[in-house]
Amino acid sequence: MLEMIIIAAIKVVVVIVAVLTGCAYSTLLERRVVAFMQNRVGPNTAGPWGLLTPLADGLKLIFKEDIVPAGVERMTYALAPVIAFIPSMLAFAVVPFTSDFSLFGREISGTLSDLNIGVIYIFAVTSLAVYGICLAGWSSGSKYSLLGGIRSSAQMISYELSYGLTIVGVILIANTLSMRELVAQQDTVTHWFIWRQPLGFLLYLTCAIAETNRAPFDLPEAESELVGGYHTEYSSMRFSMFFIGEYAAMLAVSCVGTTIFLGGWQGPFLPPIVWFVLKVFGCMFFYIWLRATFPRFRYDQLMNFGWKFLFPLALLNTMVTAFFVLWKG
Amino acid sequence: MTEILKAFVNVIIKMPQGFGVTLKYLFRKPVTVQYPKQKIPMTPRYRGRHYLERYDDGTERCVCCGLCAAACPADAIYMEPEETANGERKAKVYEINLLRCIFCGFCEEACPEEAVFLGQDYEFSADNRNSFIWTKDQMLVKHPRKENPLKRIIRRVRRVYGVPTAK
């Protein structure tokens, strides 16, 4: 019993450290890649190729003054970053990072916990992040924050539906909700669910980007209109909580997308964890690529796109899949 | 219905085109100049910080006639004359206030002795105003120097009188 707890604790620590490091370095990746796509160089001064930039950024944010504006709702203001940050970290609890392996004679499972309703758990937990953003906007006592928060809640609720529906197709085919099972079913490249659910994958990507408030769906923090959106009034570590939360959410949806559509850690030749990291990296790169490519949606465009295009398509995808699943037995 | 078709066309044809553009630029060479480490050479006609020229034997060209100060539209030049041991006139004090200076180059055009020139240096910054007053010691070129001082003079003559470059 004690041994199990120790193993679990070590795994949790490893995953949290890995995810936070991943977040830090995806900020660097983003800045560098976007810079190169714009014929710039990006941060390259701290360390070789700017590899120490995230460290320098973190130090800077920690030592900055934590300014609390006069008109804020103190309790909510302090809680909001935490609420935005925790759910995206929670999502990693059920992600199968690697196959089961044995270390020092003990069998260790590749996931933190093999929940039999893993997919639903992820969707339940990640949608909580909207509360953080919404409350941050409301408690800041600033019109920009409030607008950002309201936009974010409208956007996330609109896209939550399609987001959930995109996965239903895969679940119908796989007939399981466990992330482990999903990976186990995609044992060869031809069995990846992306080939059986290509539309579902595209819809998932789109909704995931909207869910994590990333460009071109980054209306809640639209810099050009809302200063900083919901985190306008935040500074220092509170701000960086939002920031890490956003990148952790990106990583989380990349991990989930990888697990559900791209075969998780399955892959030839290379060890499972390398495949997993590579695929997640690919998703993250796509995110960044998308940000460098497309301008931000207008608010009405966003709503039209969500309700009149994505949602019917997701419904259609689900119905067609359900039909075929029933038909083929 | 047409809207949906249009959206499909956008997703299938136009969006990949957009991605292609950014991907193409990803592999292009950045145009950034890493400024403090890497500098773009200025054009020969650039008018930067002043310097005072010498004769080949090292004596100062400037005789403190005051024509540059008279020509200066910004009133940035101050000078006081003195007499050397062999009875020649030279500048005791020669100061240019770089905060007043507009780098028009009238001083080098006015100079009959071809003594004052505007150089290539554009990096002047200081934390107090006094540091922007450049004195004679700071502006005089080092005596034995590598490049041919006449080059600049020829270039100045060309600039002032419009003599075309020899082909």
Side-chain angles (χ1 to χ4, degrees):
Chain A
M1 187 61 204
L2 185 69
E3 198 180 283
M4 268 175 66
I5 292 172
I6 291 171
I7 289 174
I10 290 172
K11 271 160 67 180
V12 167
V13 169
V14 167
V15 167
I16 287 180
V17 168
V19 167
L20 288 181
T21 319
C23 291
Y25 277 92
S26 41
T27 61
L28 179 67
L29 180 79
E30 168 158 31
R31 288 169 70 185
R32 290 289 281 196
V33 169
V34 171
F36 275 115
M37 283 177 175
Q38 296 166 347
N39 278 7
R40 296 183 288 117
V41 196
N44 63 346
T45 314
W49 306 293
L51 280 177
L52 296 178
T53 312
L55 199 73
D57 279 344
L59 273 177
K60 182 202 80 171
L61 279 166
I62 289 169
F63 287 116
K64 277 215 162 183
E65 189 189 354
D66 182 24
I67 300 164
V68 181
V72 301
E73 187 82 20
R74 287 205 169 242
M75 188 69 189
T76 332
Y77 179 82
L79 263 177
V82 185
I83 300 175
F85 170 68
I86 299 278
S88 35
M89 292 301 287
L90 283 178
F92 290 97
V94 293
V95 173
F97 293 99
T98 173
S99 57
D100 296 353
F101 56 98
S102 59
L103 197 69
F104 306 124
R106 289 181 189 83
E107 279 293 313
I108 298 173
S109 126
T111 54
L112 287 185
S113 76
D114 180 27
L115 219 54
N116 58 354
I117 50 157
V119 179
I120 290 184
Y121 166 81
I122 281 181
F123 279 77
V125 158
T126 49
S127 18
L128 285 176
V130 69
Y131 283 102
I133 292 170
C134 203
L135 288 176
W138 176 74
S139 64
S140 288
S142 143
K143 54 185 174 250
Y144 298 118
S145 302
L146 185 64
L147 279 171
I150 289 170
R151 277 184 182 188
S152 131
S153 51
Q155 175 182 330
M156 285 176 108
I157 289 164
S158 306
Y159 282 77
E160 195 76 55
L161 275 171
S162 327
Y163 187 48
L165 277 174
T166 52
I167 300 296
V168 172
V170 172
I171 293 168
L172 284 172
I173 296 174
N175 200 18
T176 176
L177 282 170
S178 152
M179 300 285 268
R180 262 172 94 91
E181 262 301 300
L182 281 171
V183 177
Q185 289 191 16
Q186 308 177 64
D187 46 359
T188 53
V189 179
T190 44
H191 288 174
W192 289 5
F193 285 120
I194 181 173
W195 308 124
R196 280 186 271 180
Q197 286 281 312
L199 183 61
F201 178 65
L202 279 181
L203 291 176
Y204 175 81
L205 272 182
T206 320
C207 294
I209 292 156
E211 272 293 295
T212 46
N213 295 327
R214 290 282 306 173
F217 299 96
D218 58 343
L219 280 141
E221 49 176 302
E223 293 94 346
S224 47
E225 330 158 16
L226 296 182
V227 190
Y230 55 90
H231 55 58
T232 307
E233 306 296 337
Y234 283 88
S235 52
S236 183
M237 270 321 272
R238 292 183 212 257
F239 165 73
S240 52
M241 291 275 263
F242 280 119
F243 210 69
I244 300 168
E246 185 183 319
Y247 279 89
M250 277 168 72
L251 273 180
V253 294
S254 298
C255 287
V256 174
T258 304
T259 310
I260 294 177
F261 289 100
L262 298 176
W265 44 261
Q266 306 268 18
F269 311 123
L270 295 172
I273 185 73
V274 175
W275 270 113
F276 187 79
V277 170
L278 274 179
K279 287 168 184 175
V280 171
F281 176 82
C283 290
M284 292 297 283
F285 182 81
F286 178 77
Y287 256 67
I288 293 162
W289 191 8
L290 187 78
R291 187 188 163 187
T293 307
F294 292 112
R296 187 181 300 125
F297 275 104
R298 219 168 48 216
Y299 188 69
D300 59 319
Q301 288 172 332
L302 178 91
M303 284 296 152
N304 274 338
F305 183 69
W307 287 107
K308 293 187 185 166
F309 186 72
L310 272 187
F311 184 56
L313 260 184
L315 264 182
L316 189 76
N317 186 42
T318 313
M319 287 198 309
V320 171
T321 315
F323 173 74
F324 274 100
V325 167
L326 276 179
W327 188 36
K328 297 262 175 179
Chain B
M1 199 61 209
T2 47
E3 240 175 75
I4 291 174
L5 272 177
K6 216 188 272 175
F8 267 110
V9 168
N10 280 343
V11 169
I12 292 161
I13 298 166
K14 304 226 171 127
M15 275 178 64
Q17 275 178 357
F19 279 118
V21 170
T22 34
L23 195 67
K24 192 173 74 191
Y25 275 84
L26 178 63
F27 297 108
R28 289 216 180 147
K29 207 171 172 291
V31 292
T32 312
V33 177
Q34 307 257 316
Y35 162 60
K37 291 181 212 154
Q38 188 189 344
K39 286 173 192 165
I40 297 176
M42 305 309 295
T43 58
R45 297 172 67 150
Y46 184 79
R47 297 194 293 262
R49 187 160 56 202
H50 311 68
Y51 65 91
L52 288 171
E53 196 56 78
R54 290 177 194 267
Y55 285 109
D56 289 344
D57 61 352
T59 51
E60 298 161 22
R61 277 177 170 266
C62 178
V63 294
C64 200
C65 62
L67 281 179
C68 53
C72 182
D75 199 11
I77 304 176
Y78 172 77
M79 57 179 69
E80 279 175 22
E82 81 178 339
E83 202 171 316
T84 56
N86 49 9
E88 282 178 350
R89 186 184 155 101
K90 74 181 257 260
K92 185 169 76 178
V93 179
Y94 188 95
E95 288 175 353
I96 295 183
N97 187 339
L98 292 176
L99 290 176
R100 291 203 65 119
C101 179
I102 58 170
F103 301 95
C104 59
F106 283 4
C107 46
E108 58 175 339
E109 285 179 27
C111 186
E113 295 291 325
E114 297 181 337
V116 65
F117 289 102
L118 271 73
Q120 304 275 305
D121 186 13
Y122 50 88
E123 289 170 320
F124 16 96
S125 55
D127 53 6
N128 62 325
R129 283 168 170 269
N130 284 339
S131 308
F132 285 101
I133 295 170
W134 275 66
T135 57
K136 203 176 85 175
D137 302 334
Q138 287 166 297
M139 278 187 289
L140 266 174
V141 290
K142 285 198 180 68
H143 171 38
R145 58 175 184 156
K146 283 172 193 165
E147 82 235 54
N148 181 8
L150 280 177
K151 267 187 195 167
R152 285 209 176 281
I153 294 167
I154 292 163
R155 196 156 59 227
R156 174 204 167 235
V157 169
R158 277 186 200 142
R159 189 197 300 165
V160 175
Y161 301 106
V163 179
T165 326
K167 293 234 168 93

